[in-house]
Amino acid sequence: MGYVNGVNLLPSTGEFTYDSVAYRGKRVTEPTLVGINTYAGQAAHRTDMDLAIDQLQAAFPACTTVAIVCAWFFNSTDASACKIYPSTTYVGGSFQQWNGSAWVSDVWRCSSLTQNSVGLIPISSNDGSFTYGGTPSDQSIIRCIQDLKARGFRVVFYPLLLGDVPGSFPWRGRITYGPDRSSAAASAVTAFLGSAVPVNFTQDSANKTVAYSGPSTDYTYRRMILHYANLCALAGGVDLFLIGSELRGLEIIRGPAWTKAGTTDGSGLAMWDYPFVAGLIALSDDVRGIFDSAGLTKNLSGLHNLISYAADWSVWMGVQHPGENGQWPHLDQLYAHANIDLICFDNYMPISDWTTGTGGLDVAYWSAPAPGYWPPSPADMNGLGLSGTPTLYSKDYLKANIEGGEKFNWFYFESNNLGRGFDPNGTDLQVSLPAGDRLTQSRNQYYPNQQLLANKQLRWWWNNPHRAIYDTGSGFDPHGPDTKWVAQSKSIVFTEYGFPACDKAANQPNVFFDPKSTESFTPFWSIWDPADGGGFRPKADQNLSLLALQAVYEYWFVDGRNETSGAGLKMIEPAFCSVWNWDARPFPTFPQRSDIWGDCGNWQAGNWLNGKGPFVTPPNPDPPFVPGPYPSFPSLVGQGWSVHYRPQYTTGDHAHVSGCGSRFTRVSIPIFEIELTFDILKMDGTRDFQTLADFYARMRAQALPFRFPVPAALGLGATVNCRFEDDSEELEEFMAGLWQLQSIKLRTVKG
């Protein structure tokens, strides 16, 4: 399908999950070596990664970019004490790789560390189950890069930090230090970054790794980034290398020289004392030097060998410091730096504000004229200018909120998500509760020259110089000289964007459901369903998430809204805009194998594209969905099954005065039960099992019938409308039934 240009490849962990070579592993507690990246049961020694990328290319043939997300861990949100380290779940264990003819011994490798190294920080576990998989081994990353490039993909390398702080498992954006504006704060940043320098690293082509000459337990951020810059160079280069992402709490730490007005450089341009931003600038210079030394020179026209940093959507334009009454474009000095080639940020901005019950203000102002000027007045700022019946499942509605609605025409002061509770709108549902003015939909206006405060003002941001905004007694106004940013100088990239597959996903796309984490939320106003065995689970809705993806893609890259500068530079560069996420664990092995992976339960309401796409036009709940034309039951290459048709007439009784009775049929045409029995569904290149499971997941989520071919002798025509006999089953239950019962039951329906 044509609405996915790129994907971020997960799970970011797993010692050999990304590898094109088969591996076996054994932990010290396990008796034998077992396969650890061939769970899908394909042809001998073909890896899960191979199948997962085959599935990606089949589902989204227009996808041209894959960002390899590769994780190290952090153990504290205090920057002064935080360690950044690789680790493995096989500490003291052993590995073998398949060399084409036999299994041979190998080791997990990362920056001069193996699973037997002294000083490894173990990954936390609970009752023998690890919180995360291990850091991908260096040789698996090299082979992954090379394999993706051989398939014709652009490759992005995306280093990720995962919080392993037992009891909270925080987001990397929580790492910070306080109080700041001090030499202690600057020292904390220095400690976090560490002292690793390029000469500490030696590329080892024979072992597909990079050696580190510093202390083996120097667990710091510069070691991580410079290690992977060398590893990517050893692999032959990548198209875009990120030096980090979403480190919001570190970016905003102020050094002792910070003031509201800041200082100026030799050209009279404004700059402020943000030690971590300065550290990122130094890292970009070092990475550029590593690439240039390997002959991987910057290619801006072809978009190869580029470097950037991916900011969080909430602060990509600037940061507001508590008590300072203003916003400072703290990243502009990074964006303007010569060795930062693109303006990257992870775009999870809301594109709806839909409540329970009536839908709220967006329904009330659905057809009111959209504002034709900025900033709009309170009388005009809510208008959407839409026609037809209001519905959250309107692509035009979602598009109207990309350069409109919240964080463009108006804003909420209070954005706290209080988690699950009873719906304040009186529906007796359990929903994710908003707070403050968001709860009452009390929208606030912007004032002239405040575009920097509106995170959706990409077009203004790209086309204009920037100044700090703060209050000197007359409100939030621009002050001081321009920053170093030069208008239209570099393209913008959405290094991440996407929507969880749950109710009202477009209200708050940046949240995710993961019960182990204190960061676990579902979007504002989203409904929770009762779970089997008690409790609640997020209400799944893959249709809205896929519709929202299509809306974003079409708005920027199909509908003619993407600008080009006089020099031919695109405002938004589509080549690297990547959806979160595609998993290297192929569907349906993931999420079926919950005995292997602890995050299988997150799949249904999560951001995974595997098993949920391609996009099918969703039902419209208001007005009712009009049937047809329906999708067809998939044609399966290996299908050689027997099919049984059983008519199910519904009858009633006519009672007579005599005491006798007669029966009659309530319908003229019987309902048929159709049972398909089979010996095996192929798991090889035919993808029969994956295709059928994917089809079930789509039909179940949409509550749609589908067409199924029937013999002419039944007198029903060439095809009939069917449903799965029990489409209330969870996908995992359905897939388990395929194996256990070796049959599938359908039931015909009218229409």
Side-chain angles (χ1 to χ4, degrees):
M1 300 298 288
Y3 62 93
V4 173
N5 267 356
V7 295
N8 287 279
L9 188 67
L10 289 187
S12 79
T13 60
E15 285 81 355
F16 296 97
T17 298
Y18 289 152
D19 214 318
S20 56
V21 171
Y23 271 80
R24 304 193 302 193
K26 186 181 86 68
R27 298 184 177 94
V28 292
T29 57
E30 297 171 336
T32 59
L33 288 151
V34 296
I36 57 174
N37 64 352
T38 52
Y39 293 110
Q42 308 168 82
H45 312 306
R46 185 165 184 250
T47 68
D48 294 334
M49 174 71 177
D50 285 339
L51 176 57
I53 301 302
D54 283 351
Q55 291 177 340
L56 170 64
Q57 292 181 299
F60 298 100
C63 178
T64 58
T65 295
V66 175
I68 303 169
V69 186
C70 181
W72 285 23
F73 306 95
F74 67 92
N75 61 359
S76 174
T77 56
D78 178 351
S80 67
C82 182
K83 294 184 182 299
I84 305 299
Y85 57 95
S87 192
T88 172
T89 62
Y90 287 80
V91 174
S94 57
F95 297 98
Q96 291 179 342
Q97 68 158 299
W98 180 253
N99 71 358
S101 59
W103 291 102
V104 296
S105 294
D106 199 6
V107 294
W108 170 82
R109 299 183 181 93
C110 188
S111 191
S112 290
L113 300 169
T114 74
Q115 73 269 18
N116 299 311
S117 295
V118 175
L120 288 176
I121 300 176
I123 296 170
S124 64
S125 61
N126 183 25
D127 295 328
S129 177
F130 290 96
T131 305
Y132 301 107
T135 299
S137 193
D138 283 352
Q139 63 268 46
S140 73
I141 293 294
I142 286 180
R143 284 190 286 256
C144 182
I145 291 170
Q146 293 173 340
D147 179 70
L148 290 171
K149 290 170 71 174
R151 288 174 179 258
F153 286 107
R154 290 188 183 276
V155 177
V156 178
F157 186 79
Y158 190 142
L160 183 75
L161 298 183
L162 291 175
D164 198 357
V165 183
S168 61
F169 306 104
W171 169 50
R172 58 198 181 277
R174 304 292 182 202
I175 305 171
T176 192
Y177 184 85
D180 64 349
R181 293 188 68 178
S182 65
S183 57
S187 296
V189 170
T190 299
F192 176 87
L193 288 166
S195 57
V197 291
V199 295
N200 294 142
F201 299 87
T202 303
Q203 297 174 20
D204 180 353
S205 58
N207 292 304
K208 294 182 170 61
T209 190
V210 174
Y212 180 58
S213 63
S216 62
T217 56
D218 171 26
Y219 293 139
T220 56
Y221 191 70
R222 284 182 58 86
R223 178 185 182 179
M224 177 189 187
I225 300 304
L226 297 181
H227 169 77
Y228 283 118
N230 277 277
L231 195 70
C232 288
L234 187 58
V238 293
D239 298 287
L240 174 61
F241 183 91
L242 298 177
I243 57 174
S245 70
E246 297 184 16
L247 296 171
R248 184 180 71 176
L250 289 160
E251 298 165 19
I252 67 177
I253 295 173
R254 294 171 291 178
W258 189 94
T259 63
K260 287 186 176 183
T263 58
T264 56
D265 67 2
S267 300
L269 299 173
M271 52 192 297
W272 293 268
D273 185 8
Y274 290 103
F276 188 69
V277 176
L280 290 173
I281 290 171
L283 266 175
S284 73
D285 292 342
D286 288 339
V287 172
R288 181 78 272 153
I290 291 166
F291 287 178
D292 287 350
S293 296
L296 303 169
T297 55
K298 180 187 305 189
N299 183 337
L300 288 170
S301 59
L303 301 176
H304 305 301
N305 310 319
L306 306 183
I307 300 167
S308 191
Y309 169 80
D312 184 66
W313 67 274
S314 63
V315 294
W316 81 279
M317 281 187 171
V319 60
Q320 297 188 20
H321 298 288
E324 301 290 1
N325 294 325
Q327 179 165 308
W328 286 265
H330 66 303
L331 290 173
D332 272 21
Q333 52 215 63
L334 175 68
Y335 295 150
H337 189 63
N339 288 324
I340 294 294
D341 303 311
L342 297 162
I343 308 304
C344 294
F345 74 96
D346 295 345
N347 185 356
Y348 291 105
M349 287 184 276
I351 56 172
S352 68
D353 185 34
W354 204 269
T355 73
T356 52
T358 64
L361 288 181
D362 282 359
V363 173
Y365 287 92
W366 185 268
S367 58
Y373 59 97
W374 200 95
S377 69
D380 298 330
M381 67 186 185
N382 296 313
L384 293 167
L386 299 171
S387 60
T389 303
T391 170
L392 179 55
Y393 294 89
S394 164
K395 194 191 302 181
D396 287 340
Y397 166 64
L398 300 175
K399 288 182 178 181
N401 283 289
I402 292 174
E403 289 188 283
E406 184 185 359
K407 302 186 187 303
F408 190 91
N409 287 328
W410 51 267
F411 67 95
Y412 289 128
F413 281 109
E414 176 60 81
S415 291
N416 286 340
N417 187 324
L418 302 180
R420 181 174 57 83
F422 281 107
D423 182 10
N425 287 335
T427 63
D428 291 330
L429 296 168
Q430 295 272 323
V431 302
S432 284
L433 299 169
D437 52 4
R438 185 183 294 276
L439 173 63
T440 59
Q441 289 197 295
S442 301
R443 296 171 172 177
N444 304 286
Q445 69 182 107
Y446 292 104
Y447 290 93
N449 301 314
Q450 290 186 348
Q451 290 94 333
L452 192 71
L453 306 181
N455 289 22
K456 289 181 183 176
Q457 289 275 357
L458 279 71
R459 197 178 305 277
W460 173 88
W461 189 96
W462 192 67
N463 279 296
N464 291 277
H466 312 146
R467 293 189 289 162
I469 292 179
Y470 51 91
D471 188 354
T472 59
S474 58
F476 277 43
D477 292 309
H479 293 285
D482 294 341
T483 69
K484 292 186 175 185
W485 164 252
V486 176
Q488 299 186 347
S489 59
K490 299 173 185 180
S491 295
I492 297 170
V493 166
F494 308 148
T495 35
E496 292 181 26
Y497 70 103
F499 302 84
C502 65
D503 184 53
K504 300 182 182 68
N507 281 359
Q508 194 182 11
N510 61 303
V511 296
F512 65 95
F513 175 70
D514 184 353
K516 78 173 184 295
S517 174
T518 54
E519 309 284 355
S520 179
F521 292 97
T522 63
F524 297 118
W525 298 108
S526 61
I527 297 170
W528 291 68
D529 286 334
D532 297 335
F536 288 83
R537 64 186 174 194
K539 180 181 180 181
D541 186 348
Q542 79 173 47
N543 293 311
L544 179 59
S545 64
L546 294 173
L547 183 67
L549 283 178
Q550 192 175 46
V552 172
Y553 177 86
E554 289 182 2
Y555 186 92
W556 289 118
F557 307 130
V558 177
D559 296 347
R561 293 187 174 93
N562 195 10
E563 286 187 42
T564 303
S565 72
L569 191 71
K570 296 173 185 175
M571 180 175 73
I572 300 174
E573 176 49 65
F576 294 117
C577 290
S578 299
V579 175
W580 190 274
N581 68 77
W582 190 266
D583 207 295
R585 298 167 293 180
F587 182 85
T589 308
F590 177 81
Q592 185 181 22
R593 294 296 304 273
S594 57
D595 58 319
I596 303 170
W597 301 300
D599 57 344
C600 291
N602 301 344
W603 172 85
Q604 186 176 38
N607 289 58
W608 284 271
L609 283 175
N610 310 57
K612 296 175 181 175
F615 174 81
V616 178
T617 301
N620 184 343
D622 186 11
F625 180 68
V626 178
Y630 297 122
S632 297
F633 190 83
S635 176
L636 305 176
V637 176
Q639 184 172 335
W641 316 337
S642 58
V643 184
H644 304 279
Y645 303 89
R646 302 184 184 92
Q648 307 288 316
Y649 286 98
T650 302
T651 61
D653 284 315
H654 273 311
H656 298 280
V657 175
S658 65
C660 297
S662 62
R663 301 191 67 78
F664 66 94
T665 61
R666 298 184 187 275
V667 294
S668 58
I669 299 176
I671 299 296
F672 278 84
E673 179 189 87
I674 303 174
E675 183 174 12
L676 295 77
T677 61
F678 56 89
D679 295 326
I680 189 168
L681 280 172
K682 293 187 177 182
M683 291 289 289
D684 58 14
T686 62
R687 300 180 69 249
D688 282 355
F689 185 54
Q690 289 80 8
T691 299
L692 185 55
D694 183 22
F695 185 75
Y696 175 81
R698 288 166 52 198
M699 294 302 100
R700 177 184 183 275
Q702 298 173 82
L704 278 177
F706 51 87
R707 304 296 293 176
F708 186 83
V710 295
L714 294 180
L716 302 176
T719 61
V720 292
N721 286 344
C722 289
R723 299 179 73 117
F724 289 96
E725 184 175 60
D726 184 2
D727 55 11
S728 65
E729 286 185 314
E730 296 295 330
L731 177 61
E732 291 186 22
E733 295 175 297
F734 173 77
M735 291 188 293
L738 288 180
W739 295 115
Q740 295 169 5
L741 304 178
Q742 295 190 325
S743 70
I744 303 166
K745 289 185 179 180
L746 313 177
R747 184 173 296 274
T748 61
V749 296
K750 294 181 180 181

